[in-house]
């Protein structure tokens, strides 16, 4: 019996749309999930950048930084109190000013130390100064005998001194570098080591603080921190906030010197978003394969051509055992269906049924249907011929 395989493999007619052409919710989601995922990544990253943008700008006690460790809150508090705040890259030594040096490490090493020496009408406030800077100040004015004598823990402390700004502020966050000055007034001490010290000299004042904590945005509203900060910095009508910008710094370790540091922040953030989008796309494309999709063949393949093509592949690969198993499986299927045993009967059931329809014994039938050694092409041809004869014997009434 000949079966027209071509008819069964023909694709859908021109008038009837195929399943693959029908837009279903599942197919619509599959097509849209990649662009939607990329859009979601961009939106999330943009939102994070927008929320964090206030904390990205500036560093420790930068007067324009709203981040936790910035100094924007103190700068605005001074301005609201009537004190003019000017950001400068280096001290000018002008009269009638308070020179505020919140981060001594940012100072140009070549700055004239005499500009940090108090004079009539001038106050100098330095935070966290170490011996290197104090040595230069003592060189510029040998009468200023101030020295760093170690470190103390940063914590809430009582002033325990008669300095007016400290007495008004009361408890404040202090500690860090400890100082000694025989002619000075020490406050917020731990075991006799003061972390705030004031020295009056030539009509001016030099104030040293061991830690910047009480000035930063995060702690300014705690205890008497704000009162102490205002008391120390508002004694003059103007504050010179010595904080050079990145392009004004010289000789400071960590200055931008790489290509990435020189790029604008917008370019860096855009590049980060693109990288995240690419990673997301890679993860999406590397997902496991889904179920097999059944599609109509683009061309009609005749049954004989399919058989010849598969036979050629088996021959090229010398897969005689695989070819023999394919022939046996096909005959077993046809015989099981012809004998009414279903599509996958047990081997013993099929062998007994076939034996009853032929003159062969059961061992010969079993060897023919389930096992054969195929050493060469001749043996494969013999097996094909014997299977064909067996099929004819069983199927012929």
């Amino acid at each position: 019996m000949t079966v027209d395989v071509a008819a069964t493999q023909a694709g859908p007619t021109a008038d009837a749309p195929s399943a693959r052409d029908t837009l279903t919710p599942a197919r619509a989601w599959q097509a849209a999930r990649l662009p939607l995922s990329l859009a979601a990544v961009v939106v999330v990253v943009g939102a994070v950048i927008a929320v964090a943008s206030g904390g990205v700008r500036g560093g420790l006690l930068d007067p324009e930084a709203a981040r936790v460790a910035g100094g924007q809150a103190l700068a605005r508090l001074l301005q609201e109190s009537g004190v003019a705040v000017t950001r400068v890259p280096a001290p000018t030594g002008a009269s009638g000013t308070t020179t505020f040096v919140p981060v001594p490490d940012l100072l140009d090493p070549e700055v004239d130390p005499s500009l940090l020496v108090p004079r009539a009408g001038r106050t100098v406030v330095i935070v966290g100064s170490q011996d290197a800077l104090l040595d230069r100040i003592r060189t510029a004015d040998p009468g200023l005998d101030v020295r760093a004598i170690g470190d103390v823990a940063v914590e809430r402390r009582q002033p325990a001194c008669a300095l007016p700004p400290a007495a008004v502020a009361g408890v404040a966050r202090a500690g860090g570098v400890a100082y000694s000055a025989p002619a000075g007034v020490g406050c917020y001490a731990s075991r006799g080591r003061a972390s705030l010290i004031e020295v009056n000299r030539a009509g001016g004042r030099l104030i040293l603080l061991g830690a910047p904590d009480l000035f930063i945005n995060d702690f300014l509203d705690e205890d008497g921190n704000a009162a102490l900060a205002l008391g120390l910095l508002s004694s003059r009508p103007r504050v010179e906030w010595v904080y050079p910008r990145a392009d004004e710094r010289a000789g400071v370790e960590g200055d931008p010197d790489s290509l990435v540091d020189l790029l604008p922040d917008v370019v860096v953030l855009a590049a980060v978003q693109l990288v995240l989008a690419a990673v997301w796309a890679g993860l999406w494309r590397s997902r496991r394969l889904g179920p097999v999709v059944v599609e109509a063949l683009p061309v009609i393949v005749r049954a004989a051509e399919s058989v010849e093509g598969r036979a050629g592949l088996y021959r090229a690969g010398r897969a005689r055992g695989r070819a023999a198993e394919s022939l046996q499986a096909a005959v077993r299927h046809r015989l099981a269906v012809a004998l009414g045993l279903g599509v996958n009967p047990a081997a013993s059931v099929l062998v007994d049924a076939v034996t009853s329809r032929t003159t062969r014994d059961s061992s010969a039938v079993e060897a023919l249907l389930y096992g054969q050694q195929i050493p060469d092409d001749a043996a494969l041809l013999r097996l094909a011929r014997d299977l064909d004869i067996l099929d004819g014997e069983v199927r012929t009434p």
Side-chain angles (χ1 to χ4, degrees):
M1 180 176 64
T2 303
V3 179
D4 188 359
V5 180
T8 64
Q9 294 181 342
T13 64
D15 296 332
S18 65
R20 66 179 299 187
D21 296 328
T22 303
L23 182 62
T24 64
R27 289 183 179 274
W29 165 245
Q30 185 176 9
R33 61 184 175 182
L34 176 59
L36 289 177
S37 299
L38 294 178
V41 170
V42 173
V43 170
V44 170
V45 173
V48 171
I49 292 172
V51 171
S53 60
V56 171
R57 183 183 181 187
L60 175 65
L61 281 176
D62 185 334
E64 299 173 1
R67 63 185 301 178
V68 169
Q72 186 183 83
L74 176 57
R76 291 185 178 180
L77 191 62
L78 287 168
Q79 292 169 341
E80 292 172 0
S81 301
V83 178
V85 177
T86 305
R87 177 175 181 161
V88 295
T92 65
S95 179
T97 62
T98 296
T99 300
F100 180 41
V101 185
V103 186
D105 288 343
L106 297 180
L107 279 175
D108 185 343
E110 303 300 324
V111 68
D112 184 356
S114 65
L115 299 177
L116 299 175
V117 173
R119 291 289 182 264
R122 188 171 73 195
T123 298
V124 178
V125 180
I126 306 176
V127 180
S129 178
Q130 298 289 345
D131 281 331
L133 181 59
L134 296 179
D135 288 343
R136 297 177 62 200
I137 293 176
R138 287 196 302 269
T139 300
D141 185 349
L144 280 173
D145 187 13
V146 289
R147 301 178 185 276
I149 55 173
D151 297 315
V152 296
V154 178
E155 58 188 6
R156 297 171 65 248
R157 297 182 185 277
Q158 292 285 351
C161 68
L163 189 67
V168 171
V171 176
R173 192 174 183 85
V177 182
Y179 301 100
S180 69
V185 178
C187 301
Y188 299 100
S190 173
R191 297 181 180 179
R193 296 184 298 174
S195 57
L196 186 156
I197 200 162
E198 179 187 86
V199 179
N200 292 308
R201 178 73 173 168
R205 294 189 302 161
L206 172 64
I207 300 174
L208 302 177
L209 287 95
D213 294 49
L214 70 93
F215 295 119
I216 66 176
N217 297 330
D218 196 37
F219 295 127
L220 189 63
D221 62 345
E222 295 183 2
D223 298 322
N225 293 346
L228 180 58
L230 284 176
L232 297 176
L233 297 177
S234 63
S235 61
R236 311 291 180 185
R238 296 188 302 278
V239 170
E240 285 185 346
W241 197 303
V242 183
Y243 205 99
R245 302 181 189 277
D247 56 352
E248 297 169 334
R249 299 174 191 171
V252 178
E253 183 179 356
D255 280 351
D257 54 5
S258 68
L259 179 60
V260 174
D261 292 329
L262 297 176
L263 289 175
D265 291 342
V266 175
V267 175
V268 176
L269 296 178
V272 170
Q273 292 188 64
L274 291 176
V275 170
L276 291 177
V279 171
W280 186 272
L283 293 174
W284 178 81
R285 293 301 299 174
S286 65
R287 73 193 191 287
R288 68 175 181 83
L289 296 177
V292 176
V293 177
V294 178
E295 297 183 353
L297 291 176
V299 296
I300 297 175
V301 180
R302 301 295 178 182
E305 295 178 5
S306 179
V307 171
E308 290 177 359
R310 180 169 294 186
L313 292 175
Y314 284 150
R315 184 174 184 179
R318 300 182 181 276
R320 300 185 186 93
R322 183 67 179 272
E325 173 58 28
S326 297
L327 292 173
Q328 291 171 323
V331 172
R332 289 197 301 265
H333 176 76
R334 289 198 299 271
L335 293 179
V337 173
L339 296 173
L341 301 178
V343 295
N344 190 25
S348 59
V349 174
L350 180 59
V351 169
D352 291 343
V354 171
T355 302
S356 66
R357 300 290 294 270
T358 67
T359 59
R360 306 168 187 261
D361 58 30
S362 60
S363 60
V365 172
E366 183 177 8
L368 189 58
L369 290 178
Y370 290 98
Q372 285 281 344
Q373 294 295 327
I374 311 298
D376 51 30
D377 291 345
L380 182 61
L381 290 175
R382 286 195 300 270
L383 174 64
R385 184 189 62 227
D386 293 342
L387 288 172
D388 186 55
I389 294 173
L390 178 64
D391 184 48
E393 291 176 358
V394 174
R395 294 163 65 89
T396 301

